[in-house]
Amino acid sequence: MLDCVVFLADCLVSVSQCIEVIIGGLDYNQNKVNQWTASIVEHSLTQLVKQGRPFKFIVNCAIMQKSGAGLHTANSCYWDTATDGSCTVRWENRTMYCVVSVFAVALTC
Amino acid sequence: MSDLAKEKAARLLKKRGSVSSLGSHDVRAKETGGKIKDSISTVSYIDEPGHHDDNPRPTVQMENTFQLAPHRRFPVLTVNDILKDVLDSYLQEEKYEAELCRQMTKTISEVIKARVKDLMVPRYKIIVLISIGQLSEQNMRIGSRCLWDSSNDTFSSHSFKNSSLFAVANVYAVYVE
């Protein structure tokens, strides 16, 4: 599990870089947000795969326009805590919030 | 060394706001001596200070099952119904309030996980992700992508809306061979 935790801590960095590259400095745009979520998950997944670790990945991304409304997120997982783990990255700019969750489930090999 | 790594990860993961995650643990190992470990459930929240794992257990070596595919597939439609049922019963009459919804997300994710576990689908790991937000003038988009074995692994999703809040629930099921 330690291995997984350290690995996920490194993932945090690469995922936040992905988000920054794709939507950093942009304002919320209804027409583009579909494309943004798709690229964020795709690029994050590619970065994770590049690390070459034996995990299955689930990447979830939520982008919300800033309007004073509140948002709560929770996750609950039934797995082997010795080998599996998750991490969540929260990012915001002037006009939107972005929350990306990464779950890593170990492959038995 | 291990503590440092844990601290670093915990610091990176800790944030204000309502993001919490529950960890649950079920270990069964049949060793050659015939010993069987009992299952243990642990719960931890990111928005409350806590430990990750007090007793890190050594990874156990499993025997081969020679099984190529699950005997029983994950019942997506049943889980869809579970999600609909849980979200409707917990949120139908509720108004959005920060503290209430914070507790509600944690409760609902635990409830959904427990009900999916009750289906007793063998060799599947379950991940439940729930988001509850206030209805206002904003737009929102949620997307997810998974790297897994698409013949065995699957997901289920449901969204709910009432006059003051919306909720989106995702359940991912990953096969362990």
Side-chain angles (χ1 to χ4, degrees):
Chain A
M1 175 221 164
L2 237 22
D3 216 21
C4 192
V5 162
V6 172
F7 163 61
L8 285 172
D10 293 332
C11 288
L12 266 178
V13 175
S14 54
V15 168
S16 359
Q17 279 170 356
C18 274
I19 303 179
E20 190 62 47
V21 159
I22 293 172
I23 53 178
L26 298 179
D27 283 344
Y28 185 89
N29 184 341
Q30 171 65 7
N31 303 326
K32 298 242 185 84
V33 71
N34 211 353
Q35 212 178 315
W36 289 340
T37 39
S39 355
I40 288 175
V41 284
E42 206 173 307
H43 286 154
S44 304
L45 204 48
T46 322
Q47 290 301 323
L48 292 170
V49 168
K50 272 197 192 151
Q51 315 228 357
R53 306 293 297 269
F55 286 108
K56 290 182 178 177
F57 292 107
I58 292 164
V59 179
N60 192 64
C61 168
I63 297 186
M64 182 163 100
Q65 192 178 15
K66 266 191 182 175
S67 70
L71 175 71
H72 299 262
T73 313
N75 61 63
S76 172
C77 308
Y78 176 61
W79 57 25
D80 184 351
T81 51
T83 53
D84 308 325
S86 71
C87 78
T88 309
V89 179
R90 194 181 62 173
W91 180 96
E92 65 182 281
N93 72 4
R94 207 176 46 92
T95 50
M96 55 185 168
Y97 296 108
C98 175
V99 182
V100 177
S101 301
V102 177
F103 302 93
V105 176
L107 280 173
T108 51
C109 56
Chain B
M1 172 63 178
S2 60
D3 281 336
L4 269 178
K6 279 191 209 169
E7 294 282 36
K8 173 184 172 202
R11 257 202 318 271
L12 286 169
L13 295 173
K14 194 178 170 83
K15 52 180 79 80
R16 273 181 305 124
S18 347
V19 173
S20 69
S21 92
L22 307 173
S24 168
H25 189 131
D26 192 355
V27 169
R28 262 174 228 291
K30 217 173 193 145
E31 292 161 8
T32 47
K35 281 181 288 172
I36 299 182
K37 271 215 191 99
D38 282 333
S39 67
I40 298 179
S41 197
T42 61
V43 173
S44 60
Y45 299 98
I46 284 183
D47 63 347
E48 288 156 28
H51 48 271
H52 217 334
D53 203 357
D54 272 348
N55 310 315
R57 230 165 270 98
T59 41
V60 288
Q61 204 60 22
M62 304 290 231
E63 291 177 356
N64 280 333
T65 58
F66 303 103
Q67 189 179 314
L68 293 176
H71 288 315
R72 190 171 139 222
R73 305 219 93 89
F74 192 75
V76 178
L77 295 177
T78 316
V79 174
N80 274 344
D81 289 336
I82 290 179
L83 290 180
K84 201 178 333 193
D85 194 32
V86 172
L87 289 179
D88 284 348
S89 62
Y90 276 83
L91 298 175
Q92 193 67 45
E93 303 299 326
E94 301 294 338
K95 265 189 66 62
Y96 180 85
E97 271 152 40
E99 197 45 51
L100 169 73
C101 286
R102 179 185 311 221
Q103 287 311 316
M104 197 62 90
T105 42
K106 295 179 193 172
T107 315
I108 292 185
S109 68
E110 253 189 293
V111 166
I112 292 177
K113 185 183 69 174
R115 286 187 61 171
V116 175
K117 269 171 81 170
D118 284 343
L119 296 175
M120 303 274 271
V121 197
R123 309 189 74 88
Y124 270 91
K125 291 180 176 174
I126 316 276
I127 295 168
V128 178
L129 187 61
I130 171 130
S131 301
I132 299 185
Q134 186 179 14
L135 267 187
S136 125
E137 299 292 309
Q138 91 279 12
N139 267 318
M140 173 160 196
R141 168 76 56 176
I142 300 185
S144 82
R145 186 174 275 244
C146 313
L147 179 76
W148 57 22
D149 179 358
S150 51
S151 53
N152 295 329
D153 304 326
T154 183
F155 76 97
S156 171
S157 180
H158 187 259
S159 63
F160 166 86
K161 190 166 85 161
N162 74 8
S163 52
S164 66
L165 57 78
F166 66 90
V168 177
N170 283 338
V171 175
Y172 302 96
V174 177
Y175 179 66
V176 187
E177 51 178 37

